[in-house]
Amino acid sequence: MLFGYVRKEDRTLLLDLDFQWIDDHSLFVKMKDLDSNDTNLYSHKNFVYITKESEHDLDRLFRILKEAKIEKVAVETDSNRNWTLKKLMDEIEKEHEYLMLRKELMEKLKGIPGKEAKLLLNELLTKDVSMHRLKQIQFKIKKEDLK
């Protein structure tokens, strides 16, 4: 099953898919207990939750979601089934922020000459770095403190 926390005006490309539409009334419902509930009340960015039954055509689904500019997506796991919608959306938001910052820093470091920039870029490419470490690197770049 597909659950879409997607504003009505943003659903055009998703109408051919079998979505259950949800909104803020579902924020404190556990994922395993979600049911269609759509009164058009939204306080978060668009989000899609994919249950295991819907995993058979993920390539097509992800192409459509990309075209619809829906970046926040979660696939059902044994762990997140017991989370509330709000907790899952908050976790996905943190992960999205982390990935976007990491990508931005890699692009910036590619354009900076010098040994330290190359070492930092290599660190980003080869290691799992914490959000704290990403912010340290971001600060170094802003200070232009790279040699």
Side-chain angles (χ1 to χ4, degrees), residues 129-142:
V129 296
S130 67
M131 181 59 121
H132 178 74
R133 180 65 179 138
L134 289 180
K135 296 213 181 235
Q136 287 176 330
I137 294 169
Q138 183 182 40
F139 182 74
K140 256 188 184 289
I141 293 171
K142 282 182 181 175

Side-chain angles (χ1 to χ4, degrees), residues 56-102:
H56 63 277
D57 198 4
L58 287 179
D59 289 338
R60 177 176 174 260
L61 176 60
F62 282 119
R63 276 193 308 276
I64 293 169
L65 293 175
K66 184 176 182 178
E67 189 176 341
K69 295 181 172 63
I70 296 176
E71 299 175 332
K72 312 280 188 326
V73 179
V75 177
E76 178 184 25
T77 66
D78 290 339
S79 297
N80 71 24
R81 289 186 78 240
N82 292 308
W83 294 359
T84 63
L85 174 62
K86 181 176 181 345
K87 177 178 172 141
L88 181 58
M89 290 171 69
D90 289 347
E91 288 299 314
I92 295 298
E93 182 63 35
K94 285 182 205 170
E95 185 178 305
H96 183 74
E97 180 185 336
Y98 172 86
L99 293 171
M100 293 298 101
L101 179 56
R102 187 176 177 142

Side-chain angles (χ1 to χ4, degrees), residues 8-116:
K8 287 183 180 174
E9 64 269 18
D10 297 333
R11 295 180 187 170
T12 308
L13 297 171
L14 307 176
L15 295 177
D16 290 341
L17 301 170
D18 189 23
F19 270 95
Q20 298 291 317
W21 302 110
I22 55 177
D23 64 11
D24 277 358
H25 288 97
S26 300
L27 285 177
F28 298 100
V29 175
K30 288 186 178 181
M31 300 310 292
K32 66 181 181 179
D33 299 326
L34 276 182
D35 196 10
S36 184
N37 181 5
D38 185 20
T39 57
N40 211 23
L41 179 63
Y42 302 96
S43 61
H44 292 71
K45 294 181 180 171
N46 290 340
F47 172 80
V48 168
Y49 181 69
I50 304 165
T51 62
K52 291 184 181 192
E53 298 88 41
S54 302
E55 288 185 357
H56 63 277
D57 198 4
L58 287 179
D59 289 338
R60 177 176 174 260
L61 176 60
F62 282 119
R63 276 193 308 276
I64 293 169
L65 293 175
K66 184 176 182 178
E67 189 176 341
K69 295 181 172 63
I70 296 176
E71 299 175 332
K72 312 280 188 326
V73 179
V75 177
E76 178 184 25
T77 66
D78 290 339
S79 297
N80 71 24
R81 289 186 78 240
N82 292 308
W83 294 359
T84 63
L85 174 62
K86 181 176 181 345
K87 177 178 172 141
L88 181 58
M89 290 171 69
D90 289 347
E91 288 299 314
I92 295 298
E93 182 63 35
K94 285 182 205 170
E95 185 178 305
H96 183 74
E97 180 185 336
Y98 172 86
L99 293 171
M100 293 298 101
L101 179 56
R102 187 176 177 142
K103 180 179 176 182
E104 174 191 327
L105 294 175
M106 284 193 280
E107 290 303 314
K108 285 182 178 180
L109 288 167
K110 286 177 185 176
I112 299 173
K115 184 178 180 181
E116 189 174 8

Side-chain angles (χ1 to χ4, degrees), residues 119-132:
L119 288 172
L120 290 172
L121 179 59
N122 190 51
E123 180 181 348
L124 293 179
L125 290 170
T126 59
K127 295 181 183 176
D128 283 331
V129 296
S130 67
M131 181 59 121
H132 178 74

